């Protein structure tokens, strides 16, 4: 697996829909174009939701999605890059 | 009260929404799930439900542009997967003067809700009978509770076994027998768990349950069961086709609980066990030979419906055999070869999850609550018809 560099982490673990995306959008606002936000989420639905959001939003790009085991729990990880 | 206030958005329960739909209500649904989930299944009513699909993240990204797509003169029922995103969108709409309400618990709650409908015609012949069709409408799954004078039988219970215990308690009935008409592939059976909880005996035919990791009694053709002192007489009929062990129950010679053998429209698909052709032949013999002696006035009470037009005015999914013999497309093909060909041609691909559900229903694998919710998402796809749908 290729490693994705990121500039900021949003811990959205334990938050249910729609909060991971609401908070990710707030965080993206504080980033510079080209910077990447790493989002940790425990809501399985976030996988499809980040894909959908990235298609809708004009200033972001979904550059990677993966899962990590953190504290014995599967975590869904989304990498969102601010563009333009 | 079915409407309540959470945050400052009104919400509606699945049962209340279903009640409105059954009474001819025409809600306007704003579905805010992602595309895949929306394509997979949605809120259905007797008549087409007017539905607008805009994913919730579109509202987050550009609230004003998306809100302007929503009609302002209608009451908007907002729907999502679990009820959180829809509440968020309903709030956005309410703040701008729209009449918006949230479907509490979203499509998961819709898929888990149960509606109790009395099989009222049973009482004309036996006034003290308690006979309910339990409609898990989001999935299109039907189950039954039949009781008399303190005792009851439950057929094809969902995994939400408290629903049946509650109903039995309300009616003063002790559940004595629990039956599964066959090994289900579309939902997790509550049969073994319900029987264990209430101290009843669980029955399924061995042909379907061989190797199961729980105790059961095998149903035998012609076997009779009685509950209550006035007796509800139940006869098990071997009716293979959907599965080799499919069993139909004849109650008081008048009500036929057909499982997935025959529906109001269509019949049970014969391909779920990977032996489509021989099972389609079994289905043919079941429909045209085994059930042939039953008179036209017998009521068919199936385990599923596919579309809400299988529901009668009173909400019950039922039809008399005569009507089914006349109108059900599957029953029109009297030639065995043609029947097998047509049924096989009508089959859509079976959902990939069905194999796992069968394993769970045999007790071969254990799944937690979250997994069960995910495995059961969407409407059942257990029916075959005589109308080709294969793409």
């Amino acid at each position: 697996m290729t490693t994705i560099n990121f500039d900021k982490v949003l811990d959205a673990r334990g938050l249910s829909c729609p909060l991971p995306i609401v908070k990710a959008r707030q965080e993206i606002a504080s980033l510079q174009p080209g910077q990447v936000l790493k989002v940790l989420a425990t809501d399985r639905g976030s996988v499809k939701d980040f894909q959908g959001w990235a298609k809708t939003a004009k200033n972001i790009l979904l550059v990677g999605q993966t899962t990590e085991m953190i504290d014995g729990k599967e975590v869904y990880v989304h990498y969102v890059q601010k563009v333009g | 009260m079915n409407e309540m206030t959470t945050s400052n958005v009104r919400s509606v329960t699945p049962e209340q929404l279903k009640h409105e739909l059954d009474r001819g209500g025409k809600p306007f649904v704003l579905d805010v799930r992602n595309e895949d989930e929306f394509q997979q299944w949605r809120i259905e009513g007797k008549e087409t439900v007017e539905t607008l699909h805009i994913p919730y993240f579109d509202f987050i990204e550009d609230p004003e542009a998306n809100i302007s797509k929503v009609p302002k003169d209608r009451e908007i029922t907002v729907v999502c997967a679990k009820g959180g995103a829809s509440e968020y969108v309903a709030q956005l709409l309410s703040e701008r003067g729209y009449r918006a309400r949230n479907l509490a618990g979203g499509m998961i709650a819709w898929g888990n809700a149960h509606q109790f409908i009395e099989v009222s015609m049973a009482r004309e012949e036996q006034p003290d009978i308690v006979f309910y069709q339990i409609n898990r409408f989001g999935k299109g799954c039907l189950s039954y509770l039949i009781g008399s004078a303190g005792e009851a039988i439950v057929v094809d219970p969902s995994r939400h076994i408290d629903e049946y215990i509650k109903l039995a308690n309300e009616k003063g009935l002790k559940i004595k027998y629990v039956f599964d008409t066959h090994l289900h592939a579309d939902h997790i059976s509550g049969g073994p768990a319900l029987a264990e909880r209430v101290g009843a005996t669980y029955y399924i035919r061995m042909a379907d349950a061989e190797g199961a990791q729980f105790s059961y009694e095998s149903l035998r053709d012609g076997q009779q069961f009685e509950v209550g002192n006035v007796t509800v007489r139940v006869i098990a009929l071997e009716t293979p086709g959907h599965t080799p062990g499919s069993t139909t129950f004849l109650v008081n010679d008048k009500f036929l609980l057909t499982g997935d053998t025959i529906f109001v429209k269509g019949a049970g698909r014969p391909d779920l066990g990977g032996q489509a052709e021989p099972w389609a032949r079994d289905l043919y013999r079941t429909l045209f030979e085994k059930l042939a002696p039953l008179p036209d006035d017998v009521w068919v009470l199936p385990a599923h419906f596919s579309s809400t037009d299988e529901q009668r005015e009173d909400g019950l999914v039922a039809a008399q055999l005569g009507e089914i013999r006349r109108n059900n497309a599957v029953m029109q093909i009297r030639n065995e070869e043609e029947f097998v060909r047509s049924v096989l041609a009508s089959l859509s691909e079976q959902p990939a999850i069905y194999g796992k559900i069968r394993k769970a229903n045999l007790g071969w694998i254990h799944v937690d609550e979250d997994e069960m919710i995910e495995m059961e998402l969407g409407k059942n796809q257990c029916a075959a018809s005589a109308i080709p749908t294969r793409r």
Side-chain angles (χ1 to χ4, degrees), chain A residues 5-69:
Chain A
N5 294 317
F6 54 90
D7 302 281
K8 201 167 184 186
V9 179
L10 168 65
D11 187 354
R13 286 178 295 166
L15 298 180
S16 58
C17 175
L19 290 173
I21 286 185
V22 170
K23 291 196 176 293
R25 189 170 187 274
Q26 287 164 356
E27 291 295 334
I28 281 286
S30 69
L31 295 187
Q32 297 300 314
Q35 287 191 315
V36 173
L37 176 70
K38 177 181 180 180
V39 183
L40 307 176
T42 41
D43 181 6
R44 192 191 295 242
S46 67
V47 176
K48 287 264 165 62
D49 289 358
F50 270 82
Q51 293 167 6
W53 175 48
K55 270 186 217 159
T56 300
K58 290 177 183 61
N59 66 333
I60 62 154
L61 206 60
L62 187 65
V63 290
Q65 279 186 313
T66 183
T67 55
E68 283 178 20
M69 288 302 286

Side-chain angles (χ1 to χ4, degrees), chain B residues 276-307:
Chain B
E277 196 191 321
W279 292 12
R281 290 187 192 281
D282 288 342
L283 183 64
Y284 178 85
R285 281 186 278 278
T286 284
L287 296 181
F288 295 106
E289 291 166 23
K290 185 83 187 195
L291 299 181
L294 295 172
D296 277 353
D297 66 353
V298 162
W299 285 97
V300 167
L301 296 166
H304 285 303
F305 65 93
S306 301
S307 70

Side-chain angles (χ1 to χ4, degrees), chain B residues 112-130:
Chain B
N112 284 340
H114 294 63
Q115 187 186 32
F116 301 87
I117 296 158
E118 197 190 355
V119 182
S120 56
M121 51 279 205
R123 258 192 300 129
E124 287 163 23
E125 297 176 30
Q126 191 180 322
D128 73 336
I129 197 170
V130 177

Side-chain angles (χ1 to χ4, degrees), chain A residues 17-18 21-22 25 43-44 48-49 52-53 56-57 59, chain B residues 34 36-37 56-58 60-61 82 84-85 88 371 374:
Chain A
C17 175
I21 286 185
V22 170
R25 189 170 187 274
D43 181 6
R44 192 191 295 242
K48 287 264 165 62
D49 289 358
W53 175 48
T56 300
N59 66 333
Chain B
N34 62 52
D36 287 12
E37 292 173 311
Y56 75 88
F57 36 75
D58 289 9
I60 291 173
E61 198 51 38
K82 296 179 211 157
Y88 177 91
E371 273 182 285
E374 199 169 317

Side-chain angles (χ1 to χ4, degrees), chain B residues 7-56:
Chain B
S7 68
N8 37 24
V9 170
R10 281 181 307 124
S11 72
V12 59
T13 64
E15 293 82 358
Q16 175 65 21
L17 181 57
K18 169 70 171 153
H19 187 67
E20 289 174 16
L21 289 162
D22 285 350
R23 291 164 64 110
K26 295 181 173 39
F28 187 94
V29 170
L30 172 61
D31 194 319
V32 301
R33 291 174 298 162
N34 62 52
E35 181 71 22
D36 287 12
E37 292 173 311
F38 177 71
Q39 290 306 338
Q40 199 190 351
W41 69 311
R42 55 192 80 163
I43 302 287
E44 286 175 24
K46 249 178 172 167
E47 289 164 55
T48 310
V49 177
E50 230 181 311
T51 304
L52 177 65
H53 176 229
I54 303 175
Y56 75 88

Side-chain angles (χ1 to χ4, degrees), chain B residues 26 34 41 72 98 137 196 205 239 283 305 350 356:
Chain B
K26 295 181 173 39
N34 62 52
W41 69 311
K72 202 160 189 178
Y98 285 76
F137 46 85
E196 197 184 328
R205 195 183 299 283
T239 48
L283 183 64
F305 65 93
Q350 66 166 299
K356 192 175 178 187

